[in-house]
Amino acid sequence: MFRNQYDQDVTTWSPQGRIFQIEYAMEAVKQGSAAVGLKSGEHAVLATIKRAPSDLSSYQRKIFKIDDHMGIAISGLTADGRILCRYMRNECLNHRFVYDSPMPLGRLVRQVADKAQLGTQRSWKRPYGVGLIVAGHDESGPHIFYNCPSGNYYDYKAFAMGARSQAAKTYLERQFETFAAASLDDLVKHALHALQASLQDGELTEKNCSVAVVGGDMPFTLLEDDSLAPYIAAIKEEEPAAAAGMEAEGAAAEGDAAAGEGGAAGEGEQQQEQQGGGGGDDGGEAPMEQ
Amino acid sequence: MATALPVRAQVPAAGQATKQHASWSPYDDNGGTVVAVAGDDYCIVAASTRMSTGYSILTRNKSKILRLNPKCVVASAGMQADMETLHKMLHSRHVTYQFNHRRPMSCPATAQLLSNTLYYKRFFPYYTFNLCAGLDDEGRGAVYTYDAIGSYERVGYGCQGSGKELIQPVLDNQLKAASPLVLPQQQWLSSLPLEQAVDLVKGAFVSAGERDIYTGDDVEILIITKDGIRTDSLQLKRD
C-alpha cells in the first residue's frame, strides 16, 4: 500500500472507487496473530496463536465468550475487539431477557456489521481495526462468521485471519470437505494443524495457542494449557514426515504421549495410524490427514 | 385483581367534592412463604410452591427461588410477575459480573446488588419480599432479609411471605439466643446440625400450612454447602 492523496479521510473515495481508510483498517487485521475458525455438522471450533508483547508480559487474550452458545476470536486492535465483545455480550443478554432464548448468530453478526459500517461513513469516526471470527451454535446449527472492519460479514465453513493466515487457509481449503462429518476431537486437531501452518518459528504448544469449542450439546468452552495438552500431543503424532522430518524417536515419544492422554475420542485412532511415509515402524495404515 | 377492568369508584352526592379514582391496582399478591436458616457451614433455603390469586390457586408448582450460583440464591415471596422480572434482572447482572470479574458473585455482593436493585424502583417498587441466602466469603451460612424497597440486614434466619407471622416465632424460639445478656453477645445460636435444621424448617412449613391458606402443595428446599446445592422437598396439604 502506498500513500496517496485519497487516503486521508474515510469519507474520501479514490478515483478507482476505493476508500483507502477502510482498506488500511483491514491491514490492521493482518497484523494480528493468526486465528482460525471451522465447523462440522455439530460443532464449531476456534483456534488462535497467542502472542505476548514481551517476555515479561502475559499473552493477549484473543478468544472471548459472548454467551453460552457463542464466542469470538479477534485479530488486530485488541482494544477495538473488546468494545465489540462488550456490545455482543450486551445484545445477547438483552435477547435472552426479552425472548428467553439464545440470540441467533446471523442476526447478531449483522448487527455488528452494521455497527462497523458506521465507522466507514462518518467523518468523525474511524473503522474498527479488528476482524472477528464468530463461532457459535443456534437453532440452525453451528456457524462460523467473519466480521470485517469494512462492515461486511461472511458466512464460512472455515476461515483464517491474521499474520501468515494464507498458509492456514491453504490447509483449510484442502481439508474442508472432511469437516462436516468430523468428530469434535478431529475438528480441534484440524484447527491446530491449520494454525501450525501459520507459525513462523517454533512449535505449537499448549502455552502459545488457545482453542474454544461450542456445539449443540456443548456450551462455549475455552481450552487452554492443561485442557489443550492432549490435542497438542495428538497432532504431534500426526505431523507429516515432510514437515517434521523423519524422527525414529518420534514414534517412541508418540507412544508415551498417547498412553498418558485422557479421554479424547480420537486418541484410539491415533495409536493405530502412524506416519505412512515416515520413519514409523508400524506404518501399516494410511494417516488420517496430511 | 391486576387483570380486571378498571372500575370507577362511585362519587357521593353533589355538594361533596370527592375525586373519582380508578380502583385498579398494578399489584397482586400471589402468596407463599419463604424461609432461610444459616448454619456454621451450611444454609437452608425453603419456599412453598403454591401460587395463588385471591382465593384461587393458579398453580401448585411454581418455584420462588433463583439460583444465581452454587454459593448464593434469592428467594422471593409476593407478586410473582415482579419476582420473575427481578430474578431475570439479577441473573443478567450476574452474567455481566462474571464476564468482568472472571468469577461468580459472592453472597454479600449479591445482597448489596439486590438492595440497590430494589431501591432503584423506590417509587414503583417490586412487590417482592426477599431473602438472599448462601455462603459468605468465609464459607459460613448467610441470610439477608429485605423489605420491598431494599432495606436489608444480615440475620441468622429469616422468613417472608404470607406465612411469615406463623413461622417467625417458631424460628425465634428455636434459634434465637436465649438472652441478650449472654456473653459473647450473639443474635442467634451457633448452628444446629444440618439435619436438625432441615427438620425444623420442614416442621415450620407444615405448621404454617395448617393455618395459612396460601402456603401448601409442596415446599422446595435447598441445602447449600461448600459441596454445592442439594435439593429436598416436602409435600404439604393441598387444601
Side-chain angles (χ1 to χ4, degrees), chain B:
Chain B
M1 294 306 129
T3 51
L5 290 171
V7 168
R8 291 240 150 234
Q10 287 306 329
V11 180
Q16 318 269 27
T18 316
K19 281 191 193 149
Q20 277 199 337
H21 58 276
S23 58
W24 175 88
S25 166
Y27 294 116
D28 187 16
D29 188 352
N30 297 124
T33 311
V34 296
V35 168
V37 173
D40 277 344
D41 58 355
Y42 64 80
C43 191
I44 299 165
V45 185
S48 66
T49 62
R50 175 177 288 173
M51 180 178 166
S52 343
T53 179
Y55 291 117
S56 308
I57 295 179
L58 289 172
T59 178
R60 299 190 189 276
N61 187 218
K62 177 86 170 64
S63 172
K64 296 185 178 55
I65 306 181
L66 168 71
R67 298 178 201 206
L68 272 177
N69 62 58
K71 293 252 160 67
C72 184
V73 304
V74 174
S76 317
M79 181 168 148
Q80 294 293 284
D82 277 354
M83 179 206 85
E84 283 184 31
T85 306
L86 176 66
H87 286 190
K88 281 165 81 166
M89 267 283 304
L90 291 174
H91 173 70
S92 291
R93 291 297 300 269
H94 187 244
V95 171
T96 304
Y97 183 98
Q98 288 186 287
F99 276 135
N100 290 332
H101 294 81
R102 313 254 232 135
R103 64 174 174 84
M105 277 182 87
S106 67
C107 195
T110 307
Q112 184 66 58
L113 175 66
L114 176 54
S115 171
N116 294 349
T117 306
L118 292 169
Y119 197 81
Y120 201 74
K121 276 172 61 75
R122 169 69 177 78
F123 300 112
F124 184 11
Y126 290 108
Y127 195 83
T128 56
F129 301 97
N130 302 290
L131 292 173
C132 175
L135 301 178
D136 67 12
D137 297 320
E138 284 142 17
R140 287 200 271 272
V143 174
Y144 299 86
T145 185
Y146 294 77
D147 70 1
I149 51 172
S151 163
Y152 80 110
E153 178 190 20
R154 182 169 178 183
V155 289
Y157 57 91
C159 55
Q160 293 283 4
S162 55
K164 162 183 179 176
E165 289 86 4
L166 295 168
I167 295 184
Q168 185 72 39
V170 173
L171 298 181
D172 284 339
N173 176 254
Q174 295 292 310
L175 298 174
K176 196 169 185 179
S179 161
L181 300 175
V182 167
L183 288 174
Q185 198 181 44
Q186 49 185 8
Q187 288 183 298
W188 55 89
L189 281 178
S190 60
S191 69
L192 295 178
L194 176 64
E195 290 311 318
Q196 228 178 299
V198 174
D199 286 341
L200 172 63
V201 168
K202 289 183 174 177
F205 265 98
V206 171
S207 306
E210 290 292 335
R211 291 288 176 171
D212 174 25
I213 60 173
Y214 301 107
T215 300
D217 296 326
D218 270 302
V219 183
E220 183 189 4
I221 305 173
L222 266 55
I223 299 150
I224 306 170
T225 59
K226 65 171 170 33
D227 302 320
I229 300 183
R230 186 162 59 89
T231 50
D232 195 358
S233 76
L234 170 67
Q235 269 220 330
L236 295 179
K237 288 200 286 191
R238 293 153 73 84
D239 68 359

